[in-house]
Amino acid sequence: MLASPVVIAVLVVIHSLLCVLLISFVLMHSGKDAGLSGAFGVGGSGGAHGGSSAIVERNLTRITVVVAALFFISTYVLGKAL
């Protein structure tokens, strides 16, 4: 299936943005209070906030799964277009 160069360019841009988003979300996950998530306060102690960091981590996991699924779909579509 041959697609026009404009469609391929748009797919490549979308794929690249999803790639950067996926890398960012994976790095934001807290892994035993290490990584980039410590800079944003995701992996901090939940004493003052009543455990709100667990909610943030759960939502971050959900967003990461959605972005990963979109990344795989865009990979498949881009592969078919080329």
Side-chain angles (χ1 to χ4, degrees):
M1 172 172 137
L2 294 174
S4 70
V6 174
V7 172
I8 292 175
V10 169
L11 287 173
V12 167
V13 169
I14 291 171
H15 189 71
S16 300
L17 290 174
L18 287 172
C19 179
V20 170
L21 279 174
L22 185 59
I23 290 170
S24 300
F25 286 138
V26 168
L27 288 177
M28 278 191 226
H29 280 278
S30 63
K32 297 183 181 178
D33 294 334
L36 194 59
S37 64
F40 298 111
V42 175
S45 64
H49 301 290
S52 65
S53 64
I55 296 171
V56 172
E57 187 71 30
R58 191 174 328 130
N59 289 334
L60 184 62
T61 300
R62 290 176 183 162
I63 293 170
T64 305
V65 168
V66 169
V67 172
L70 291 174
F71 178 76
F72 290 134
I73 291 170
S74 72
T75 303
Y76 179 77
V77 171
L78 190 59
K80 284 294 191 180
L82 294 176

